[in-house]
Amino acid sequence: MTDSVKHLCRDYLEGFGHPDTKLCYHHRLNGPGGLSALSSPEDIAKRVVAGKPMPYGYGSGIQDAALENGQFLFALCDAHEATKDGDLAALARHVYQGMKLIATVSPELGFVPRGPHPDGKSYYPDSSRDQTCAFVEALWRYHASALSTPE
């Protein structure tokens, strides 16, 4: 069972993840469209999706990165705690690195954007409680786990 879970997690990271941000996105990035599956940094700066004003970036592909990666990290921490599996620990540490980017991409201290674009700096300046809660809960879970180090 653990091998199947690890395989699915790696497939998810490969399909929806970006190696620079270490985050998974709402749209598949390894498909024929690649990064064009996401809104461009230029559209994000204009706060539009497909040319239309769109609060919260719905449909942009980056709109739920804090929520989805938060849930993913929380689950990986639980799975590692139950199994002590080193591969699950490595996956959790990888996702945690992306979560750190979410926490630092905005110059507004404490603001949790829905997620950065793979350019590592563009994001919609709107967020919500579900994004922030999943993000904070995942950070709490990671830091309360054996995976966390002082660094």
Side-chain angles (χ1 to χ4, degrees):
M1 172 90 170
T2 303
D3 288 338
S4 296
V5 169
K6 291 188 294 189
H7 179 75
L8 289 170
C9 288
R10 286 191 292 269
D11 281 353
Y12 177 56
L13 284 168
E14 183 181 314
F16 293 84
H18 193 274
D20 294 343
T21 62
K22 297 180 176 50
L23 292 168
C24 289
Y25 292 89
H26 198 73
H27 301 317
R28 181 174 287 281
L29 301 182
N30 72 344
L35 280 181
S36 67
L38 306 177
S39 288
S40 68
E42 295 78 23
D43 279 354
I44 292 168
K46 295 178 204 169
R47 298 177 73 178
V48 300
V49 174
K52 297 178 183 169
M54 192 62 65
Y56 306 106
Y58 292 129
S60 66
I62 70 168
Q63 74 271 15
D64 287 322
L67 173 72
E68 292 166 354
N69 286 274
Q71 292 170 335
F72 189 30
L73 179 58
F74 201 105
L76 286 168
C77 290
D78 280 355
H80 175 261
E81 185 175 286
T83 64
K84 308 297 186 237
D85 186 284
D87 292 334
L88 292 172
L91 287 166
R93 287 185 179 107
H94 177 87
V95 176
Y96 177 72
Q97 294 305 311
M99 297 292 281
K100 287 189 338 186
L101 175 61
I102 292 172
T104 58
V105 70
S106 171
E108 186 178 338
L109 187 62
F111 177 69
V112 178
R114 292 172 159 265
H117 184 275
D119 73 355
K121 56 188 175 189
S122 302
Y123 62 92
Y124 287 88
D126 305 307
S127 195
S128 62
R129 289 178 301 180
D130 59 340
Q131 300 289 318
T132 302
C133 287
F135 177 83
V136 171
E137 290 163 354
L139 292 184
W140 169 84
R141 180 66 182 94
Y142 185 85
H143 286 277
S145 77
L147 299 168
S148 180
T149 65
E151 294 82 34

